[in-house]
């Protein structure tokens, strides 16, 4: 199912054409999907334990979205049931002075996952081609160089054994407006609101243009993008969870065998 949302390499996507709403076949299926999600969370818990026990594979999950797009909610829901020792989250905000003094991949590379570990990026080096592009912090020529550098960087990670999964949580402009209004209305959500939410809303079409370009240039065989219809949380969670579980399944992991005869262990 999630494969229908994958972006083929060298394919020019248009986010206006990509649906943010639940696809027709799944509309009205919320109750059924919620049950399926519980099963997927259980699968994920088991696979993550195997990944950790085996200590061989590394998984990097990159989440990008417009403000209010649901990155935090996805992490909370999809990974809510796994052993916290095996999964980490790194958020990437406005770069610090020290980060700005380095190349833009410097702060990212040090957080890529080690063996047996899952790392989730809440924002990523894609801010350095999208937000940085929208705000004209570097010339377009530098942006074009960065697409290639990012592809090379991610290929290196893949060749070194890191599985890289990239999700763009795609919400509609109307849904963002609704979510911003909700943040303003609910005192428990005030802390989430910043003026940058409004700026991104006002510059929606410019952000879409930079996202389209970035996703089209960097969806590769070794690190493909999945554009997740994200107006409804349950469908968004389903796509992300199913994709991750299917990738973990493909690892065909086994618990490592004991290297000695258990009968010969004496107390
Ligand atoms: P939040 O995720 O809501 O805490 O917001 C983090 C903010 O940092 C967002 O407005 C991002 O666009 C911004 N940000 C993240 N990375 C960069 C970057 N490399 N350059 C400029 N702004 C960035
Ligand atoms: Mg924010």
């Amino acid at each position: 199912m999630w494969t229908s949302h994958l972006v083929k390499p060298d394919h020019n996507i248009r986010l206006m054409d990509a649906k943010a709403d639940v696809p027709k076949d799944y509309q009205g299926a919320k109750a059924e999907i919620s049950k399926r999600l519980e099963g997927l969370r259980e699968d994920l818990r088991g696979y993550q334990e195997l990944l950790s026990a085996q200590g061989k594979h590394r998984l990097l999950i990159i989440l990008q979205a417009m403000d209010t797009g649901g990155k935090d909610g996805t992490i909370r829901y999809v990974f809510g049931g796994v052993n916290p020792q095996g999964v980490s989250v790194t958020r990437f905000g406005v770069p610090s002075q020290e980060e700005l003094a380095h190349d833009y991949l410097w702060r990212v590379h040090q957080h890529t996952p080690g063996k047996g570990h899952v790392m989730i990026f809440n924002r990523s080096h894609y801010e350095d081609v999208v937000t940085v592009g929208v705000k004209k912090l570097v010339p377009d020529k530098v942006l074009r160089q960065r697409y290639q550098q990012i592809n090379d960087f991610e290929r290196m990670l893949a060749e070194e054994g890191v599985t890289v999964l990239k999700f763009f949580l795609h919400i509609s402009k109307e849904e963002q407006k609704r979510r911003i209004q909700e943040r303003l209305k609910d005192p428990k959500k005030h802390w989430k609101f910043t003026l940058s939410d409004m700026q991104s809303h006002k510059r929606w079409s410019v952000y879409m243009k930079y996202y389209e370009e970035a996703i089209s240039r960097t969806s590769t065989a070794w690190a493909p993008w999945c554009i997740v219809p994200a107006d409804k949380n349950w469908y968004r969670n389903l796509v992300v969870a199913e994709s991750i579980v299917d990738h973990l399944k493909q690892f065909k992991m086994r618990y490592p065998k004991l290297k000695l005869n258990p009968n010969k262990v004496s107390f």
Side-chain angles (χ1 to χ4, degrees):
M1 180 277 301
W2 58 272
T3 50
S4 63
H5 302 301
L6 276 179
V7 180
K8 293 189 192 82
D10 302 318
H11 188 77
N12 285 329
I13 55 124
R14 274 172 49 87
L15 286 170
M16 296 250 286
D17 300 338
K19 294 270 184 301
D21 200 3
V22 176
K24 272 206 187 64
D25 290 354
Y26 286 84
Q27 279 175 11
K30 183 178 175 184
E32 182 201 318
I33 297 298
S34 298
K35 253 192 240 141
R36 212 159 116 191
L37 269 168
E38 281 312 307
L40 284 166
R41 268 160 58 112
E42 194 48 39
D43 292 346
L44 189 59
R45 198 196 60 72
Y47 283 125
Q48 185 278 320
E49 191 176 292
L50 257 173
L51 187 99
S52 180
Q54 213 186 24
K56 179 178 165 193
H57 296 278
R58 315 171 218 183
L59 182 59
L60 174 61
I61 294 162
I62 295 178
L63 296 178
Q64 284 289 151
M66 291 294 282
D67 288 314
T68 77
K71 299 185 299 302
D72 296 318
T74 304
I75 296 168
R76 205 169 45 237
Y77 183 83
V78 175
F79 288 92
V82 303
N83 180 350
Q85 292 200 91
V87 179
S88 317
V89 182
T90 306
R91 304 180 72 94
F92 293 97
V94 178
S96 66
Q97 281 307 316
E98 189 186 18
E99 287 167 347
L100 284 174
H102 291 80
D103 69 87
Y104 67 100
L105 291 174
W106 178 78
R107 68 170 182 166
V108 173
H109 197 171
Q110 45 188 312
H111 292 287
T112 54
K115 288 180 176 170
H117 213 82
V118 180
M119 173 57 81
I120 304 163
F121 279 179
N122 184 332
R123 302 186 191 269
S124 63
H125 42 292
Y126 286 97
E127 294 291 326
D128 295 284
V129 281
V130 177
T131 302
V132 163
V134 171
K135 296 190 172 168
K136 301 263 173 243
L137 299 176
V138 301
D140 282 356
K141 181 172 163 269
V142 173
L143 283 189
R144 283 194 296 276
Q145 288 171 343
R146 286 187 177 184
Y147 300 135
Q148 189 57 47
Q149 290 158 354
I150 287 173
N151 287 340
D152 291 341
F153 170 63
E154 291 177 349
R155 184 169 47 205
M156 182 278 290
L157 292 178
E159 286 172 355
E160 286 285 311
V162 183
T163 299
V164 185
L165 304 180
K166 304 185 292 202
F167 298 98
F168 176 66
L169 310 181
H170 181 40
I171 57 169
S172 59
K173 191 177 178 188
E174 297 70 43
E175 179 62 17
Q176 193 197 42
K177 184 177 174 190
R178 203 188 61 72
R179 292 183 188 192
I180 292 175
Q181 284 169 336
E182 209 172 278
R183 282 185 179 181
L184 290 170
K185 218 165 51 194
D186 184 351
K188 285 189 185 151
K189 292 189 174 168
H190 283 174
W191 65 278
K192 283 192 162 194
F193 179 79
T194 61
L195 280 176
S196 89
D197 296 352
M198 289 315 300
Q199 280 161 13
S200 74
H201 191 68
K202 285 184 186 139
R203 308 190 72 187
W204 185 269
S205 58
V206 187
Y207 268 96
M208 289 304 113
K209 183 175 139 275
Y210 278 92
Y211 262 120
E212 280 178 357
E213 186 74 4
I215 293 172
S216 301
R217 298 282 157 263
T218 61
S219 200
T220 53
W222 54 89
W225 274 105
C226 187
I227 299 180
V228 184
D231 271 1
K232 293 281 183 294
N233 299 352
W234 55 273
Y235 186 76
R236 171 202 77 199
N237 290 342
L238 175 73
V239 174
V240 175
E242 201 163 77
S243 165
I244 295 170
V245 166
D246 279 357
H247 279 90
L248 288 167
K249 213 180 277 177
Q250 283 166 21
F251 290 163
K252 298 201 185 339
M253 296 178 284
R254 295 275 175 276
Y255 279 102
K257 289 213 169 63
L258 204 57
K259 291 202 175 73
L260 45 81
N261 183 345
N263 299 323
K264 292 201 170 145
V265 178
S266 54
F267 290 91

